[in-house]
Amino acid sequence: MFSKIIVLSITLLCVACNTIETENPYTTINKIPLPSGFYRVVELENSYGKFLQHISLKKDKTVYKFNGELKGNQTAQFAVLDVSIGNKDLQQCADAVMRLRAEYLFAQKKFTQIDFIDNNLKHYKFYPLYTRTHFTTYLEQVFGMCGSASLAKQLNTVPNFRSIKIGDILIRGGFPGHAVQVIDMAENNNAEKIYLLAQGFIPAQDIHVLVNVVDTDLSPWYKVNEKSIIQTPEYTFRSDELKMW
């Protein structure tokens, strides 16, 4: 009887621990704590960087697929963005980057700037009616026709990785390729820079802030350095694959 109580107590403790591990105490991107000595980059009002810093985070940091199923790997994320993924297998990696950009332009009512290209350089512009319903339908079309290969063509190369800024994208165009979004940055008095990355993935799933698997003490932050390789939990990029809008 005593042994059964011990087993039950351990089981309940494990369940409690797992519950705590899936809880996210931070309400927005800019509430994620900074390492000692660092301060957040201040973005201009109404800028894309400001928009990204203030994206809301879900209380539950579990990543779900578009169909409500759990993603198999639950170790890559630090937090989950409170951003729609729809109920179709469309909003994957590059699509998540396009979603964030489009959401910013939609919120700013810069409707005519919402424009993406496919791999044949055909433009998909957002046109009236400028409603949320039409916006959702439009994005589904974009996600179906555009991807990492086309987005890599649309973006501009950042010539020096050390000039990285919020809103930039690490992207490798391909079939499949991958893309992750620089979603926040900070620096210290020694001119050292750190940044946060967010990704969507295959199949379509919640957009999530990535942990740093190489430097777990700095995680979820990544340091800007001279290394040519950026290792994320599920993909490896080169520093010369940084692009900007």
Side-chain angles (χ1 to χ4, degrees), residues 4-47:
K4 289 182 179 179
I5 293 175
I6 292 177
V7 171
L8 178 60
S9 299
I10 293 174
T11 301
L12 291 174
L13 180 61
C14 289
V15 170
C17 289
N18 288 337
T19 301
I20 292 171
E21 288 176 354
T22 62
E23 292 177 353
N24 164 48
Y26 313 114
T27 54
T28 54
I29 293 292
N30 68 334
K31 298 297 183 184
I32 294 175
L34 292 166
S36 177
F38 282 86
Y39 52 90
R40 252 182 186 85
V41 171
V42 177
E43 293 287 324
L44 295 175
E45 200 66 33
N46 297 323
S47 67

Side-chain angles (χ1 to χ4, degrees), residues 177-190:
H178 193 41
V180 295
Q181 175 77 64
V182 179
I183 204 164
D184 201 1
M185 287 194 66
E187 53 191 24
N188 63 17
N189 292 330
N190 297 322

Side-chain angles (χ1 to χ4, degrees), residues 80-111:
V80 175
L81 279 62
D82 192 7
V83 175
S84 174
I85 57 168
N87 58 5
K88 300 175 184 177
D89 190 9
L90 291 173
Q91 187 175 295
Q92 300 178 354
C93 56
D95 309 297
V97 172
M98 291 185 281
R99 157 74 76 172
L100 295 178
R101 182 66 176 177
E103 288 285 0
Y104 162 69
L105 294 172
F106 187 87
Q108 293 291 314
K109 300 187 186 305
K110 297 178 179 180
F111 303 124

Side-chain angles (χ1 to χ4, degrees), residues 200-215:
F201 211 56
I202 299 172
Q205 58 194 250
D206 290 318
I207 306 172
H208 46 283
V209 178
L210 293 171
V211 298
N212 185 338
V213 292
V214 175
D215 189 345

Side-chain angles (χ1 to χ4, degrees), residues 112-209:
T112 58
Q113 295 183 35
I114 303 175
D115 179 17
F116 301 100
I117 64 170
D118 65 19
N119 206 40
N120 294 317
L121 305 184
K122 176 183 175 181
H123 284 260
Y124 293 82
K125 296 178 180 290
F126 185 45
Y127 56 88
L129 299 169
Y130 295 140
T131 63
R132 171 56 66 168
T133 299
H134 181 217
F135 181 64
T136 299
T137 302
Y138 161 79
L139 286 181
E140 287 186 355
Q141 181 188 29
V142 168
F143 298 160
M145 301 304 297
C146 309
S148 63
S150 60
L151 184 59
K153 292 179 180 179
Q154 182 171 1
L155 297 172
N156 301 297
T157 298
V158 177
N160 185 346
F161 190 82
R162 297 197 67 84
S163 64
I164 185 174
K165 65 183 184 302
I166 304 173
D168 288 349
I169 299 104
L170 278 167
I171 182 167
R172 183 175 303 159
F175 301 97
H178 193 41
V180 295
Q181 175 77 64
V182 179
I183 204 164
D184 201 1
M185 287 194 66
E187 53 191 24
N188 63 17
N189 292 330
N190 297 322
E192 294 177 315
K193 297 180 180 180
I194 56 175
Y195 56 98
L196 290 179
L197 295 174
Q199 75 168 11
F201 211 56
I202 299 172
Q205 58 194 250
D206 290 318
I207 306 172
H208 46 283
V209 178

